[in-house]
């Protein structure tokens, strides 16, 4: 079973703080790395899909990087806002063309 | 703009009952998935399907079965519900052409008494 790990488990920051969290995955047989945001009472929504070593993706104040050789991805949020409060999930397929296996998520709480 | 619809948001069943959770997607996606979400355990894969009448076990298939008779519909069946199946169940779909990005339903919260 593919093991996808995320840290920290939870994080509490003040509005305006920048923050980042980590997703680690096996570096062998890598195919893709997905990031999703899951807000309370909503469905998880895709943020990024990354496939190439060194990939960097950006959506507004949120960005992500990928290092497939060492098996990690970072998600960065610049200038956190209360609406960024959510659980952030990363996931990777066990092998090409198979279902995504998710990490346990990082729950971010942003206070105003 | 509804894309993945789960038939019930909340269900309460008794131990031993047969439970059907239905999921329908309107995006003509090839792939459909059932996950369950539990506090501290994250999203865990139960079953998935790449095509009509095809199914594959995920990480925790015990106590569940699935049915995919039509491309747009993927059902999760609990043959004899047990209390440890109390959970939030999420259905999702994806397309090979869309980099397999998952579109999730709203979830079905099942309580087994």
């Amino acid at each position: 079973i593919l093991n996808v790990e995320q840290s920290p488990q939870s994080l509490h920051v003040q509005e305006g703080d920048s923050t980042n969290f980590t997703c680690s995955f096996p570096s062998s047989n890598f195919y893709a790395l997905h990031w999703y945001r899951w807000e309370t009472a909503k469905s998880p929504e895709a943020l990024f899909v990354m496939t190439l070593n060194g990939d960097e993706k950006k959506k507004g104040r949120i960005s992500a990087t990928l290092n497939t050789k060492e098996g990690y991805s970072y998600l960065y949020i610049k200038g956190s806002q209360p609406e960024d409060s959510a659980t952030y999930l990363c996931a990777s397929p066990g092998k090409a063309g198979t279902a995504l296996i998710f990490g346990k998520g990082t729950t971010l709480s942003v206070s105003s | 703009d509804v894309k993945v619809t789960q038939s019930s948001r909340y269900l309460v069943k008794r131990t031993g009952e047969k439970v059907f959770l239905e999921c329908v997607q309107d995006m003509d996606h090839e792939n459909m998935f059932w996950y369950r979400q539990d506090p501290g355990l994250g999203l865990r894969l139960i079953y998935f399907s790449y095509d009509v009448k095809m199914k594959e076990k995920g990480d925790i298939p015990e106590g569940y079965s699935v049915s995919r008779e039509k491309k747009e519909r993927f059902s999760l069946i609990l043959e004899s519900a047990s209390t440890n199946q109390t959970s939030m169940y999420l259905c999702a779909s994806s397309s090979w052409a869309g980099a397999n990005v998952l579109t999730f339903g709203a979830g079905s919260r099942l309580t087994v008494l």
Side-chain angles (χ1 to χ4, degrees):
Chain A
I1 297 177
L2 179 71
N3 194 26
V4 178
E5 297 187 350
Q6 294 187 246
S7 62
Q9 183 176 349
S10 62
L11 195 56
H12 187 107
V13 301
Q14 296 296 312
E15 183 175 358
D17 288 348
S18 293
T19 186
N20 66 86
F21 11 99
T22 304
C23 173
S24 62
F25 51 87
S27 56
S28 59
N29 299 318
F30 172 82
Y31 295 99
L33 194 284
H34 293 226
W35 282 100
Y36 290 79
R37 176 169 59 197
W38 193 0
E39 298 177 68
T40 302
K42 295 186 178 180
S43 307
E45 291 186 338
L47 287 172
F48 307 113
V49 179
M50 295 183 288
T51 56
L52 298 176
N53 184 46
D55 252 355
E56 292 190 28
K57 300 271 186 176
K58 188 175 181 181
K59 183 183 288 189
R61 294 178 291 98
I62 303 176
S63 61
T65 61
L66 178 67
N67 183 323
T68 62
K69 295 186 186 302
E70 297 183 36
Y72 65 84
S73 175
Y74 293 138
L75 189 78
Y76 300 92
I77 302 178
K78 185 178 179 181
S80 301
Q81 299 296 309
E83 58 264 30
D84 296 328
S85 297
T87 296
Y88 292 83
L89 300 166
C90 71
S92 189
K95 54 185 178 180
T98 63
L100 291 180
I101 303 301
F102 283 84
K104 293 180 181 179
T106 293
T107 298
L108 174 67
S109 177
V110 182
S111 299
S112 57
Chain B
D1 191 38
V2 176
K3 297 180 178 179
V4 179
T5 303
Q6 295 185 228
S7 55
S8 304
R9 287 299 305 273
Y10 301 95
L11 303 93
V12 179
K13 299 292 182 180
R14 296 209 175 272
T15 300
E17 281 193 73
K18 190 169 186 175
V19 181
F20 292 87
L21 299 179
E22 306 285 344
C23 176
V24 177
Q25 51 95 4
D26 62 2
M27 297 169 285
D28 201 34
H29 282 174
E30 302 90 358
N31 314 316
M32 296 188 74
F33 309 85
W34 277 105
Y35 291 88
R36 64 178 280 180
Q37 191 263 342
D38 300 287
L41 297 177
L43 279 174
R44 293 182 293 165
L45 180 65
I46 306 172
Y47 266 99
F48 57 105
S49 169
Y50 292 134
D51 201 352
V52 175
K53 296 191 185 297
M54 297 190 70
K55 61 184 180 183
E56 293 205 30
K57 295 180 180 179
D59 296 328
I60 51 165
E62 296 79 17
Y64 303 94
S65 62
V66 290
S67 171
R68 193 166 182 201
E69 296 296 318
K70 294 184 178 181
K71 187 176 185 180
E72 66 270 18
R73 187 180 296 271
F74 192 36
S75 302
L76 181 69
I77 303 155
L78 289 65
E79 294 288 342
S80 177
S82 63
T83 54
N84 63 13
Q85 293 177 310
T86 291
S87 187
M88 168 70 86
Y89 291 88
L90 283 165
C91 175
S93 69
S94 72
S95 167
W96 299 118
N100 287 338
V101 172
L102 296 181
T103 300
F104 284 89
S108 298
R109 182 164 294 282
L110 172 66
T111 300
V112 183
L113 302 175

